[in-house]
Amino acid sequence: MQTSSLKIADSSITIPRRTLRLLDEAVAIEQEDARNAGKLSYMAKAMIQASMPYRDPKTSYYCRQNGTFRLEMVASPNTGLPYGNIPRLLLCWLSTEIVRTKERTLTLGDSLTDFMSQIGLTAVTGGKTGSIWRLKEQSRRLFSCLIGYYETSDGRERGKNIIVADQFQFWWDPATPPDQGGLWKSHITISETFYSEVLASPVPLDLRALTALKSHPMALDIYCWLVYRLSYLRKSQLVPWELLRMQFGADYKRTRDFKRAFIDALRKSVTVYATAKVEVEEIGLLLKPSKLHIAR
């Protein structure tokens, strides 16, 4: 059985796939390209360039920086900012449906169970901490916040303010069985700005990889970033740890703590993107030209 390997400095850490929960998806990805397998998914490029919160920031304002690119999020009054895996899975589903249908108004599956399965939430549970409640809460946070993209270069700053949805209608009646069809009439109308942003630069991803990493938000972010970054990399490039922390380390005040968490998440990411050539160095992450994850 093959193993995935991530090179750290001058040593190599070998990860036996039999010990990883990512086994089935990793093997399937290795055997068949996402396009041929019918598992092609997409994410808006701007949402890959900087990460959303991993845990509740308990604030109405959030900012992440990636070089000259800056992501800002502002929560609406009385509603917190989106965080964790669900907003990421929602944005990926929305981006994929926009690319697939070229429509702004999207119907969210035949039933609640069907929709949750489509975004990777296979365990449909109720209660205050259940998956239905978390989906409802994170959907409200995501669709009510203002997202800003800003690019600064040569003394000039360009920006774009986006809301994901102009309007949405969700049915969350707990008395209705989540798998009962016909009563599920939820839909969302994507804002013109977000719709145009997705179609202008959709980044192709493997849905099997997203499903495999769904419980690991940082690993999801790193996977998406590697797919995008390595798709155009022509020569090796070292990204310092401090810059990576600004991009991915929303919850880490110390670089050394972030580095430890990043390497752990990176191992998961390169398990499903086994052809990614990356090396962990003392001062940063070395990216090398790699085989495209999604064939053109």
Side-chain angles (χ1 to χ4, degrees), residues 44-52 62-72 148-153 221-222 224-226 228-230 232 237-250 258 262 287:
K45 183 179 73 173
M47 298 308 300
I48 290 176
Q49 291 178 279
S51 66
M52 293 186 293
Y62 172 87
C63 179
R64 285 289 97 189
Q65 188 85 25
N66 176 8
T68 61
F69 177 85
R70 186 172 80 256
L71 168 71
E72 295 185 5
Y149 308 140
Y150 305 98
E151 189 83 30
T152 304
S153 61
D221 286 347
I222 294 171
C224 295
W225 175 68
L226 285 176
Y228 167 65
R229 190 70 178 270
L230 296 178
Y232 64 85
Q237 184 173 15
L238 182 71
V239 185
W241 287 117
E242 185 56 32
L243 293 184
L244 289 169
R245 189 178 69 83
M246 292 174 63
Q247 180 179 353
F248 295 103
F258 162 73
F262 183 91
L287 306 177

Side-chain angles (χ1 to χ4, degrees), residues 60-125:
S60 61
Y61 173 76
Y62 172 87
C63 179
R64 285 289 97 189
Q65 188 85 25
N66 176 8
T68 61
F69 177 85
R70 186 172 80 256
L71 168 71
E72 295 185 5
M73 303 178 74
V74 181
S76 65
N78 303 316
T79 305
L81 289 166
Y83 64 91
N85 64 332
I86 290 179
R88 291 163 166 81
L89 297 173
L90 278 170
L91 284 170
C92 186
W93 184 85
L94 293 171
S95 299
T96 302
E97 288 299 293
I98 289 170
V99 173
R100 185 181 69 85
T101 67
K102 303 298 189 295
E103 299 286 344
R104 285 181 55 206
T105 299
L106 306 174
T107 300
L108 278 61
D110 296 326
S111 67
L112 178 55
T113 299
D114 177 46
F115 176 65
M116 293 180 74
S117 176
Q118 288 186 48
I119 67 171
L121 300 177
T122 53
V124 181
T125 57

Side-chain angles (χ1 to χ4, degrees), residues 237-268:
Q237 184 173 15
L238 182 71
V239 185
W241 287 117
E242 185 56 32
L243 293 184
L244 289 169
R245 189 178 69 83
M246 292 174 63
Q247 180 179 353
F248 295 103
D251 301 322
Y252 298 90
K253 295 182 179 180
R254 298 188 304 182
T255 300
R256 66 185 183 188
D257 295 333
F258 162 73
K259 180 179 176 180
R260 187 182 307 111
F262 183 91
I263 292 174
D264 181 64
L266 180 63
R267 290 191 180 107
K268 297 179 177 67

Side-chain angles (χ1 to χ4, degrees), residues 173-187:
D173 185 0
T176 302
D179 58 350
Q180 184 172 340
L183 298 178
W184 172 251
K185 301 177 182 178
S186 297
H187 64 265

Side-chain angles (χ1 to χ4, degrees), residues 2-280:
Q2 294 183 355
T3 58
S4 295
S5 179
L6 169 64
K7 187 174 182 183
I8 298 183
D10 295 325
S11 63
S12 182
I13 293 179
T14 300
I15 309 169
R17 284 183 174 171
R18 65 181 179 273
T19 67
L20 300 176
R21 295 173 60 188
L22 311 178
L23 173 63
D24 291 340
E25 290 84 354
V27 172
I29 291 169
E30 184 179 1
Q31 292 177 343
E32 188 175 19
D33 176 81
R35 200 179 301 276
N36 294 330
K39 297 294 183 179
L40 196 60
S41 189
Y42 294 92
M43 181 71 91
K45 183 179 73 173
M47 298 308 300
I48 290 176
Q49 291 178 279
S51 66
M52 293 186 293
Y54 298 126
R55 292 186 286 271
D56 190 350
K58 300 186 184 302
T59 180
S60 61
Y61 173 76
Y62 172 87
C63 179
R64 285 289 97 189
Q65 188 85 25
N66 176 8
T68 61
F69 177 85
R70 186 172 80 256
L71 168 71
E72 295 185 5
M73 303 178 74
V74 181
S76 65
N78 303 316
T79 305
L81 289 166
Y83 64 91
N85 64 332
I86 290 179
R88 291 163 166 81
L89 297 173
L90 278 170
L91 284 170
C92 186
W93 184 85
L94 293 171
S95 299
T96 302
E97 288 299 293
I98 289 170
V99 173
R100 185 181 69 85
T101 67
K102 303 298 189 295
E103 299 286 344
R104 285 181 55 206
T105 299
L106 306 174
T107 300
L108 278 61
D110 296 326
S111 67
L112 178 55
T113 299
D114 177 46
F115 176 65
M116 293 180 74
S117 176
Q118 288 186 48
I119 67 171
L121 300 177
T122 53
V124 181
T125 57
K128 188 66 174 177
T129 59
S131 59
I132 295 176
W133 182 88
R134 289 187 291 111
L135 175 60
K136 176 182 178 180
E137 176 69 12
Q138 292 301 323
S139 297
R140 187 192 314 121
R141 289 176 178 235
L142 177 64
F143 298 141
S144 62
C145 80
L146 176 67
I147 302 173
Y149 308 140
Y150 305 98
E151 189 83 30
T152 304
S153 61
D154 300 325
R156 294 182 300 175
E157 183 172 15
R158 298 183 297 274
K160 183 181 295 185
N161 294 319
I162 288 177
I163 56 170
V164 175
D166 281 340
Q167 58 181 312
F168 56 90
Q169 175 178 285
F170 293 155
W171 291 90
W172 306 105
D173 185 0
T176 302
D179 58 350
Q180 184 172 340
L183 298 178
W184 172 251
K185 301 177 182 178
S186 297
H187 64 265
I188 177 172
T189 300
I190 304 300
S191 72
E192 181 65 42
T193 311
F194 184 68
Y195 177 82
S196 300
E197 181 72 21
V198 171
L199 290 182
S201 53
V203 177
L205 304 166
D206 194 313
L207 180 59
R208 296 165 297 181
L210 298 172
T211 300
L213 299 171
K214 65 183 180 182
S215 299
H216 309 283
M218 184 183 285
L220 267 174
D221 286 347
I222 294 171
Y223 163 75
C224 295
W225 175 68
L226 285 176
V227 172
Y228 167 65
R229 190 70 178 270
L230 296 178
S231 69
Y232 64 85
L233 191 70
R234 296 295 176 263
K235 61 180 181 179
S236 297
Q237 184 173 15
L238 182 71
V239 185
W241 287 117
E242 185 56 32
L243 293 184
L244 289 169
R245 189 178 69 83
M246 292 174 63
Q247 180 179 353
F248 295 103
D251 301 322
Y252 298 90
K253 295 182 179 180
R254 298 188 304 182
T255 300
R256 66 185 183 188
D257 295 333
F258 162 73
K259 180 179 176 180
R260 187 182 307 111
F262 183 91
I263 292 174
D264 181 64
L266 180 63
R267 290 191 180 107
K268 297 179 177 67
S269 301
V270 299
T271 299
V272 294
Y273 185 3
T275 57
K277 296 181 180 179
V278 297
E279 294 183 12
V280 175

